[in-house]
Structure formats: C-alpha cells, structure tokens
C-alpha cells in the first residue's frame, strides 16, 4: 500500500506542525505562523498574531498534558496545505467552558491553510468536532 501522504513542495511545513505540538514546544508552534498569522477554529474562536496563538497553545497544553497529534494525510503546495489528523489526550484541567474531567479524548480534525513566501502560516482554519470532544469528556449526550 502506498504512503497516504501526497508529497509536493511544502512537506516540511506539515511535518513541523505535528512535531512542534508533540514535543510540547510552544515556541516552535508559534514560529510555525507568520507574525500576523491567524488560526481560526471552525467553531468560532480566532487567534491572530503570536500573542494570541501562544495563549491558545499554552491553554491546550495545560489542559491536556499528554496532548498528541497523529497526522493521517497531508497535502501541501507552495502556499496551501491540508493536514488531516487525529488528536488524543486526557483533559486534566479546564479549557474554555469545559472543566477538567480526567477523561481521554480521541477526535479527528482537518487543518486547512495558506502560507507566505517564507513558508509560515498566514491563515488557517481548524475543523475539529467539539461535540465529539464534549461527549468523550461526558459533558454532552
């Protein structure tokens, strides 16, 4: 069976995303974005610029000390990318309006975005199923 990845121009970009998160390297995650880059959750919140992105990453890593992203498939060209992933972790403390339950989550997501000429993310949208997360945390039926 062939590798599920489509290797085009910007393979380093998509590999760097998961590696930075899985290493719990906040600086590396923030550096993945252009200085004025944005990360929008399809559910509503938008994080613009390094300060907002850093706050988002810090919150996620505090809430999920064992957070991990496994990349399933990628597509990247010179200025566009798609990362299909599985996110796993156990929520130990509150994040947003979700209290820390100690429950584990496993949810699929897709990150779609664009980059500048330096290969840094200018904008991306994170399509993540928050209802599945709430159900796995026993916060919704």
């Amino acid at each position: 069976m062939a590798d599920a990845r489509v290797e085009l121009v910007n393979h380093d970009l998509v590999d760097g995303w998961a590696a930075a998160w899985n290493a719990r390297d906040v600086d590396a995650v923030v550096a993945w974005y252009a200085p004025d880059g944005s990360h929008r959750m399809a559910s509503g919140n938008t994080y613009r610029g390094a300060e907002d992105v850093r706050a988002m990453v810090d919150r996620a890593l505090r809430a999920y000390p064992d957070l991990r992203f496994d990349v399933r498939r990628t597509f990247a060209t010179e200025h566009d990318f798609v990362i299909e992933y599985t996110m796993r972790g156990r929520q130990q403390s509150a994040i947003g309006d979700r209290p820390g339950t100690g429950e584990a989550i496993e949810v699929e997501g897709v990150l779609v975005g664009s980059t500048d000429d330096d290969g840094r993310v200018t904008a991306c949208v994170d399509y993540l199923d928050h209802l599945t997360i709430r159900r796995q945390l026993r916060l919704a039926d």
Side-chain angles (χ1 to χ4, degrees), residues 42-54:
S43 60
N45 292 340
T46 298
Y47 306 92
R48 286 188 178 87
E51 188 176 315
D52 276 2
V53 170
R54 181 176 300 282

Side-chain angles (χ1 to χ4, degrees), residues 60-91:
L61 293 176
R62 274 195 315 275
Y64 294 90
D66 61 346
L67 187 65
R68 174 157 189 84
F69 291 90
D70 295 314
V71 174
R72 293 194 321 275
R73 233 173 16 154
T74 64
F75 174 85
T77 64
E78 186 176 3
H79 292 292
D80 298 291
F81 66 91
V82 175
I83 302 172
E84 187 178 346
Y85 64 85
T86 301
M87 182 177 84
R88 294 179 177 87
R90 187 170 297 277
Q91 186 178 344

Side-chain angles (χ1 to χ4, degrees), residues 47 55-64 91 93-100 133-134 137:
Y47 306 92
M56 172 195 64
V57 174
D58 282 336
R59 271 193 308 276
L61 293 176
R62 274 195 315 275
Y64 294 90
Q91 186 178 344
S93 62
I95 185 168
D97 67 344
R98 296 188 313 256
I133 292 173
R134 289 183 176 285
L137 295 174

